Structures are given as structure tokens and as C-alpha cells.
Amino acid sequence: MTTVAVKPATMAQALTRALRDAMAADPSVHVMGEDVGTLGGVFRVTDGLAKEFGEDRCTDTPLAEAGILGTAVGMAMYGLRPVVEMQFDAFAYPSFEQLISHVARMRNRTRGKMPLPITIRVPYGGGIGGVEHHSDSSEAYYMATPGLHVVTPATVPDAYGLLRAAIASDDPVVFLEPKRLYWSKDAWNPDDPQTVEPIGRAVVRRSGRSATLITYGPSVPVCLEAAEAARAEGWDLEVVDLRSLVPFDDETVCASVRRTGRAVVVHESGGFGGPGGEIAARVTERCFHHLEAPVLRVAGFDIPYPPPMLERHHLPGVDRILDAVARLQWEAES
Amino acid sequence: MTVMEQRGAYRPSPPPAWQPRTDPTPLLPDAAPYRVLGTEAAAKADPELLRRLYAQLVRGRRYNAQATALTKQGRLAVYPSSTGQEACEVAAALALADRDWLFPSYRDTLAAVVRGVDPVEALTLLRGDWHTGYDPYAHRVAPLCTPLATQLPHAVGLAHAARLKGDDVVALAIVGDGGTSEGDFHEALNFAAVWQAPVVFLVQNNGFAISVPLAKQTAAPSLAHKAVGYGMPGRLVDGNDAAAVHEVLTDAVQHARVGGGPTLVEAVTYRVEAHTNADDDKRYRADSEVDAWRDHDPIALMERELTERGWLDEAGVRAAREDAEALAADLRARLNQDPELDPMDLFAHVYAQPMPQLREQRAQLRAELEAGQEGEPR
């Protein structure tokens, strides 16, 4: 058995590697979007792809998101496998008609004759000091649209594995990339990338017995930090990283909640009409008799995403998570 | 050289120099719609082609009438008729080669039928079913598109993909005058021109977007002029002159096929019927306006030309009408049968692999059905 040197790599590097490997493995994979070619994307995720595979495979498009996704639909109709980059979460909104009326339902309305294997990469979430329209958490819109997969990695290996799976999927996948984790590092060997992760499986990032933090994407590291801090309070928190919002892994989530009896859902997206409401309902419907307390949510406030100078008050942080944990009716146990 | 490198390279000029990137003059449409029928150009037309167009026009008119009748009998949920616009529908379908693709809007089932799609399958959505009926790959006709102009970027993407693969395939997309106000129209034309994609955009300017006349839709000199802003040629054609539409579209398809890039064609026609059977056009236009267009009917124009030139005899007319009646009879017979619907199908194709929650919901519906409830769900 040989030992491979495992060096730290960033999530952005893992994403680049996933795109590159997918393009090398399958000539039908085409990357397209604003600034993805010569520049390599504003986050440099497509760095080097145009040089290596040519402009036909990694294309700078005109600046028009509906056109980008709409032409990707036509390319997929002709047998290509487009990987579309939306430059920022809020800039994806012009493409919603194409997404909702065509991408999400073409397989269904053609009875499986015309699947659209399109991956839509969307940098999302806050915490990077972005000005207005650069920090939205738009996942609830995508989750509410039947026909889409919605996936978001929280670790460097998952970024690689899930993006490969998304591109390989015969269904459209909205691949949400947590902006503030682009430069996060994990031990990951790019010369020996992890196997492709199946879409739809959550993972327990930290085992614990007291309560379950159910979270995803940019909030995973925050929850892990909160779990460490909670030890001082005597709580042993479990952290479940959903990785995939659609399909939703009820099995892993509910197994955890049944073990711990308490749950808090944590995300940056607003609470009202946000993913946490659906998750809390699913957990309650399935685990009611195992619950010692109502499922709580720690979410962004129901306000337009605040300016960078104030965003720290908006984003769920360790203290807010611990406050929620404290409200899980522990007195019932004593 | 790759496909993308073939585009005209644009680099900002050093200050203060400025040059127009392309000369707009050749892109400009003619001052008046191009016509063949009733002009000298008709003498040079291929009689066989005109007879073929004529037969399809007659068939198309009968198809429209039958489909409208079927809405009144409750056999179609809705029908947006292309009566009066058959020249555009027929010419669009016949201008394409087998390997090419047609991207219809909801008013363009006739074009799909002319291209070979089974009329019952073409009308599946309008019948009120949940799917688009025909296999889009069988005749290379994209699924019927309802959200306006959103099929245009699909046509661009497909044509671009074909070119990337080295196939000389052309996509022709049909849109209405109202659709030209949509953002997707703009984005599709822009992408097509930047990529020099082999696409033809056919705008059927039938005068109305439901009730809104063209004057409230655009201030452009003509819809064909919009092409110039994207750097592609605009062509203006009489949309009731099937020979002219066919010629202009055939030229545009050929231009696209040999790498000349996209063309925007505005066909000036008129929506003789209301928007759909559910619309009341008396609220927004006078009968006299509709009547004025009857003299310029696509079938009458073609029949007159063919007859005057001695290219069509009684037998030809009769054959066309019999063929049209056969189509109508077949449509009636098959659409008067109740469709076989399985509610379970609603879950079958949402995803490649069924989602866990869809499996649960499917089981719920099956249980409801198996509970043997009589009649409709309460």
C-alpha cells in the first residue's frame, strides 16, 4: 500500500479539478458563462479550462443569464452536457423562466424523451463582504421547483465529488457553491481525487448525543464551531451536513434526530418560507415521538440581504446557534 | 480553427479612433414585403413547388377549421388557430431539410404537422394532456413552447451545438410579433449573431398579441429592422404569399447552413381568427378589418396564380381538398375517442430516478385509486 501525500487544497481548486476531469472524461461536457474563458471566472473556478480545452469547450458568453441557460437547453437537446456558471446568486434570477418553465420540466413533458443534463453552478451566500446583490441565499427558490436537483458542498472533497456527480447526472442539477468556503482548505490530494459522491446522501460531520444541528453549505463550518463551543456548556452536538437539499435524505437526518431527540436547522437563507421550515416539518412528521422539543430554526433574518458592514448581524453565528440549543427544553430532562 | 475563433474578432481601437464593426447597409430589410405571387417573379417559380405549397395550404386550412370545431365539442381544451397564417406555417416546415430542427410556438402545430408529426400527437397538449405528445427527435421538432420566445434561445443552442459537432444542421424558430418584445427574443438573437449560429428566426407578424396591436408593441420601423442591431440580416416578406415566404426562408436556411450565420425574417400576415377559441376579438377589432384581409388570403393568392398560369386544374384542386378532408376525418375520428390517461404517469418522468418523496406521493395516489372511490376525487 502506498501512502499518498495529502496536501491542503481549496474548495475552488477542487471545483476546477472536477470541471477539468469531467471535460477530459467526456467531450460532450461544455462550460459556459460570463468571464469563464480568458479570465477563468470571477472566482477563478474555471481557471485554465479555455486554454486546455479551447474556447469551444469553455465559452465566454454574452452577458445575459436567460440566454446562457436558454442556449444551454438547446445544446443539451443536441446531446451536449453544458455546465453553466451563473456569476452570482442574485444574477441568476433572469434565468428563472428558462429554469422553471423548461430546464426543470423538459424531461417530464416529453415523457423522458428529452432529458436535459445541465449543471448550473451558482456561487451563493454571504460572508465575503459583497455589496448588494452579491450575497443572496437563493436555495429555497430552487427547492420549490420540481424537476431540479439542488446540491451544495461544504468540504473540499465534497466539492469535487458532488460536482462530478452533478455533471454526470442525467437530470438538471443546481450546484450551489458557498462563496465564503471557496478558499477554505481541507486535506485533499488532487492527484487522487475522491470518488464521485452520490447525490442525495447527507453525512454526519460530527457525532454527538445531545442534539442534532441540521445544516448545509456555508453554515456547516459554523455549526461545527458551535458544536465545539457547546462542549463547555455540557452539550454534545451532532452535525448533519445535508449536501443535497433535493433529493432530501430523510433517512440520515431522521436517524440522527431519533438518536438525539432534539434538532436545530441552521442556514443563512431567510427563515420564513426558507428550507428550514420544510426540514423541520419533515423531521416532526417522521420523528415526533422521539422529539424532546420542537425543532428550532436558526436562519437569516427575513430582510433583504444586508450590506457588508452589517452582514455579521444577519448571518447565523455560533452564539445564535447556542442560544437556540439552549431553548430546546432541557428542563424537561431534569 | 475552432467554431468560436471563426467569429469576427473585436478589439477596442486605440483612442481616439472608432470604426463601425460592420456596415449595416446589407443587413437592412427591403422597404416593402417581398412578394412572388402576382408579380413577375412568379413566372420563374417551380410549378411543382407551388402545387405542393398549395396542397399543404388547403390541408392546413382544413386542419385549423377541424381543430377549432373540436374545441367546441370539448375535444380540445384550447386551440390557437393559424387560420390565415398557413403560408408561414407550411413554408417554414417545407424550407427545412430532414436533419434540420423546427422550434414551434403554441400556434405552430400546423408547421409540425406539415413536417410529419402526427396531428393527434401535435395537439396532445392542447387536448389537455400532461405531456407534449410527439417524440421531438422523430421529426426534429422541438416540443411545443408556450412561454413566449423562450424557445428561441433553445434553437440557438441546438444550432450552435450542431455546429460544434460539425453537423450542417439548421434550426428554424417561429415566434409572433408579441414575442419580439420578450427579453428572450433579444437574448436569442444576440447569442445567435455573436456565435454566428445557423439559425433562422421567423417572426409571424399577425398584427396582434391577443388583443394588443403591433403599434403598442414596438416603435421599430419594422420587426425585420431589429436584426440590424444584432448584426444579422433582416428580411421582410409577405407572410400570406407562400411562394415568397418559402423562397426567403429557403435562402436564409441555406445561408445559415454554409456558415453565413443567422437571419431574422418578418412575415407580415394576419390572425383571421381570435387569439384562441376562448378569446373574443370583437372587443378589440372591427369585422371590416378582418374582411379586408380575406382578399389577401394565402390560399386564394396561390390558387389564383396557379390557375392563371394553367399550373393547376380541377383535378388538382379536388385532390387537395380530398386530402384535406381525409386529414380532418382522421383527426375527428381519433380525437373523438377518449384518451387513455393513467394518473400514475404524472410521477413517472419528473426525474430520471424517482425521488423518495415522489415515491411516497405516488403510493398515496395509488392507494386513493385502489380504494375504489367512484367518480372524481372530492
Side-chain angles (χ1 to χ4, degrees):
Chain A
M1 202 177 102
T2 50
T3 321
V4 239
V6 178
K7 292 175 291 187
T10 66
M11 181 180 281
Q13 287 170 332
L15 292 168
T16 309
R17 182 58 196 261
L19 291 170
R20 188 173 154 227
D21 287 356
M23 291 174 86
D26 181 354
S28 70
V29 175
H30 284 246
V31 169
M32 55 197 288
E34 295 153 8
D35 303 293
V36 299
T38 311
L39 181 67
V42 293
F43 293 105
R44 306 294 183 268
V45 171
T46 57
D47 191 29
L49 299 180
K51 201 163 191 180
E52 184 173 350
F53 297 97
E55 265 196 80
D56 286 358
R57 297 279 307 279
C58 179
T59 304
D60 279 330
T61 63
L63 208 165
E65 292 77 11
I68 294 169
L69 190 53
T71 51
V73 168
M75 290 164 73
M77 285 175 166
Y78 204 76
L80 299 185
R81 210 167 261 274
V83 182
V84 161
E85 177 173 310
M86 293 290 156
Q87 199 158 73
F88 280 88
D89 31 56
F91 299 161
Y93 302 152
S95 68
F96 272 22
E97 185 179 23
Q98 286 291 342
L99 186 76
I100 293 164
S101 295
H102 294 297
V103 173
R105 55 198 302 159
M106 196 63 85
R107 170 188 288 280
N108 186 59
R109 68 197 294 269
T110 60
R111 290 179 293 177
K113 294 282 199 304
M114 195 170 250
L116 297 178
I118 302 174
T119 302
I120 303 157
R121 296 180 37 244
V122 187
Y124 83 119
I128 63 158
V131 294
E132 195 183 11
H133 308 298
H134 288 75
S135 299
D136 283 11
S137 291
S138 39
E139 57 268 34
Y141 304 127
Y142 301 113
M143 287 175 71
T145 304
L148 303 175
H149 294 263
V150 185
V151 173
T152 179
T155 68
V156 173
D158 271 5
Y160 180 87
L162 290 171
L163 185 53
R164 289 297 306 270
I167 298 169
S169 170
D170 287 332
D171 283 323
V173 180
V174 176
F175 191 85
L176 299 168
E177 300 174 358
K179 283 194 282 282
R180 63 175 149 138
L181 298 186
Y182 270 142
W183 306 283
S184 66
K185 286 186 176 180
D186 279 326
W188 180 69
N189 182 359
D191 296 323
D192 180 28
Q194 299 271 318
T195 49
V196 173
E197 291 291 328
I199 289 175
R201 301 300 296 175
V203 64
V204 175
R205 288 280 172 224
R206 183 192 195 279
S207 299
R209 289 171 291 106
S210 313
T212 303
L213 301 179
I214 305 166
T215 190
Y216 56 86
S219 298
V220 171
V222 184
C223 285
L224 289 170
E225 198 185 333
E228 282 308 304
R231 289 168 59 183
E233 312 280 339
W235 293 312
D236 179 20
L237 300 182
E238 182 146 307
V239 177
V240 174
D241 173 3
L242 292 171
R243 305 200 289 186
S244 164
L245 296 169
V246 184
F248 189 84
D249 184 358
D250 290 303
E251 203 180 315
T252 302
V253 171
C254 290
S256 172
V257 176
R258 286 189 190 112
R259 274 196 304 274
T260 63
R262 289 177 171 85
V264 179
V265 188
V266 182
H267 56 58
E268 285 183 25
S269 170
F272 191 88
E278 174 63 28
I279 296 166
R282 298 185 82 78
V283 168
T284 307
E285 284 166 3
R286 286 164 177 75
C287 314
F288 185 72
H289 291 291
H290 295 82
L291 285 171
E292 304 287 343
V295 180
L296 297 183
R297 287 170 293 166
V298 175
F301 296 128
D302 296 314
I303 57 174
Y305 194 89
M309 298 170 105
L310 292 170
E311 67 180 336
R312 67 186 183 282
H313 299 295
H314 175 77
L315 293 168
V318 169
D319 289 337
R320 204 172 282 159
I321 293 167
L322 294 183
D323 283 349
V325 172
R327 285 187 282 117
L328 289 171
Q329 302 187 359
W330 302 97
E331 62 277 11
E333 282 199 339
S334 53
Chain B
M1 190 158 58
T2 67
V3 166
M4 298 317 264
E5 283 163 0
Q6 290 170 39
R7 294 171 299 161
Y10 174 60
R11 289 282 179 274
S13 325
W18 182 86
Q19 295 164 336
R21 294 174 57 193
T22 46
D23 174 11
T25 317
L27 306 179
L28 282 165
D30 294 340
Y34 175 68
R35 294 183 63 180
V36 170
L37 301 179
T39 75
E40 284 306 307
K44 285 177 280 174
D46 171 14
E48 190 49 49
L49 171 67
L50 297 199
R51 276 194 292 269
R52 198 167 160 225
L53 288 167
Y54 169 74
Q56 288 289 352
L57 291 174
V58 172
R59 197 167 176 263
R61 177 65 51 84
R62 189 65 189 89
Y63 167 84
N64 273 320
Q66 186 59 63
T68 299
L70 285 162
T71 62
K72 291 172 181 156
Q73 295 151 12
R75 289 301 182 177
L76 289 181
V78 69
Y79 184 65
S81 174
S82 59
T83 297
Q85 300 175 225
E86 291 92 346
C88 296
E89 297 287 306
V90 167
L94 296 186
L96 293 174
D98 273 355
R99 61 185 179 285
D100 296 333
W101 273 77
L102 176 75
F103 284 77
S105 82
Y106 54 79
R107 202 180 295 285
D108 307 314
T109 57
L110 175 55
V113 169
V114 175
R115 199 157 157 73
V117 173
D118 181 318
V120 172
E121 291 187 2
L123 290 166
T124 303
L125 270 183
L126 301 170
R127 203 177 184 184
D129 211 334
W130 63 276
H131 60 83
T132 53
Y134 53 89
D135 175 356
Y137 292 100
H139 296 277
R140 285 150 308 281
V141 177
L144 221 56
C145 183
T146 302
L148 288 183
T150 56
Q151 76 277 24
L152 305 188
H154 304 170
V156 177
L158 183 138
H160 179 60
R163 191 154 166 252
L164 290 174
K165 288 188 174 190
D167 300 341
D168 67 341
V169 166
V170 176
L172 188 153
I174 311 182
V175 66
D177 44 305
T180 65
S181 297
E182 291 281 3
D184 281 72
F185 173 84
H186 156 70
E187 295 188 22
L189 267 72
N190 190 47
F191 273 67
V194 171
W195 288 352
Q196 286 295 284
V199 195
V200 178
F201 302 99
L202 170 62
V203 179
Q204 288 192 60
N205 172 8
N206 68 9
F208 289 95
I210 301 189
S211 68
V212 178
L214 190 64
K216 292 182 184 175
Q217 207 68 248
T218 182
S222 76
L223 295 173
H225 276 85
K226 292 187 178 225
V228 182
Y230 300 104
M232 72 174 80
R235 299 290 307 273
L236 189 59
V237 63
D238 184 329
N240 285 16
D241 180 336
V245 182
H246 185 268
E247 185 186 319
V248 168
L249 289 179
T250 303
D251 286 353
V253 166
Q254 183 58 17
H255 183 72
R257 199 184 305 286
V258 299
T263 303
L264 172 66
V265 177
E266 176 189 359
V268 182
T269 179
Y270 190 76
R271 202 193 67 210
V272 171
E273 312 234 320
H275 167 61
T276 68
N277 53 296
D279 177 35
D280 175 12
D281 61 337
K282 303 254 183 291
R283 293 176 68 94
Y284 52 82
R285 67 180 180 185
D287 288 346
S288 57
E289 182 186 316
V290 183
D291 290 340
W293 277 85
R294 294 197 196 275
D295 291 339
H296 200 65
D297 180 82
I299 297 177
L301 290 178
M302 185 62 85
E303 203 170 291
R304 201 178 302 153
E305 188 72 53
L306 286 169
T307 315
E308 281 173 10
R309 292 190 183 274
W311 290 348
L312 181 71
D313 56 15
E314 276 296 319
V317 174
R318 199 163 49 244
R321 288 181 187 164
E322 280 168 10
D323 179 46
E325 282 309 319
L327 171 83
D330 174 61
L331 205 53
R332 264 197 316 275
R334 289 198 287 148
L335 283 175
N336 274 321
Q337 288 165 13
D338 289 329
E340 283 185 22
L341 295 171
D342 182 356
M344 290 297 124
D345 287 345
L346 295 174
F347 298 97
H349 298 292
V350 183
Y351 293 96
Q353 306 294 329
M355 290 270 157
Q357 72 255 35
L358 288 191
R359 277 201 297 269
E360 288 171 20
Q361 290 163 20
R362 189 177 185 280
Q364 180 193 343
L365 181 57
R366 177 169 298 289
E368 286 173 13
L369 293 168
E370 282 173 358
Q373 290 151 351
E374 292 294 317
E376 291 299 301
R378 290 185 293 166

